[in-house]
Amino acid sequence: MIKIYHNKLCSKSCAVLDLLKSKDVDLSIREYLQDVPSKDELLELVTLLQLKPLELIRRNESIFQEKFKNLVLSDEEWISVMLEYPILIERPIVVKDGKAVIGRPIDKVITLISEG
């Protein structure tokens, strides 16, 4: 099973979803703006991605620039920020067999789904 955390308004996310659909894989689509991941899910994602929570945040988003740009927060506080403002979560995130990648560039997804 491959899971994609997807934003249908994002061209990169749509391109990755199209790729996954073309591969005829067992696919679970999570539109995370409507179905926001839980705190535990976000913690699991940062672990699978081997990132700090701040590294999973889209820093060019206007909401980040307006509210968080100059703040120094703990990892737990950044998780709370993503829960409150899921638009800040990097996208798309693809998870397969206990591994995860952010789907930019798309080659990362191709490598992930090609692995045994």
Side-chain angles (χ1 to χ4, degrees):
M1 168 73 69
I2 295 175
K3 184 175 199 171
I4 180 173
Y5 289 82
H6 175 60
N7 177 345
K8 63 185 175 186
L9 300 177
C10 172
S11 62
K12 303 287 189 207
S13 191
C14 289
V16 169
L17 181 57
D18 289 345
L19 169 76
L20 294 172
K21 286 180 175 178
S22 76
K23 298 294 184 185
D24 195 34
V25 295
D26 191 11
L27 183 61
S28 170
I29 302 167
R30 174 78 171 268
E31 291 192 17
Y32 68 90
L33 294 179
Q34 289 76 37
D35 185 9
V36 179
S38 68
K39 179 180 179 179
D40 288 342
E41 287 174 295
L42 283 176
L43 289 169
E44 180 181 5
L45 284 173
V46 294
T47 299
L48 292 176
L49 291 163
Q50 299 178 1
L51 298 175
K52 293 291 226 171
L54 179 58
E55 295 173 301
L56 190 58
I57 290 181
R58 298 174 53 83
R59 295 181 208 162
N60 290 331
E61 289 287 336
S62 59
I63 193 79
F64 181 85
Q65 294 295 317
E66 294 164 12
K67 292 184 171 257
F68 304 105
K69 181 179 181 180
N70 296 313
L71 296 182
V72 176
L73 302 177
S74 69
D75 287 351
E76 185 152 328
E77 289 170 319
W78 284 122
I79 292 288
S80 294
V81 167
M82 287 186 277
L83 291 171
E84 187 172 351
Y85 303 99
I87 191 70
L88 293 176
I89 300 170
E90 277 289 1
R91 59 187 179 254
I93 300 170
V94 178
V95 180
K96 178 189 175 214
D97 298 334
K99 296 180 183 175
V101 296
I102 295 172
R104 292 186 333 258
I106 201 167
D107 293 347
K108 291 181 179 182
V109 175
I110 293 168
T111 299
L112 179 69
I113 64 175
S114 298
E115 293 178 351

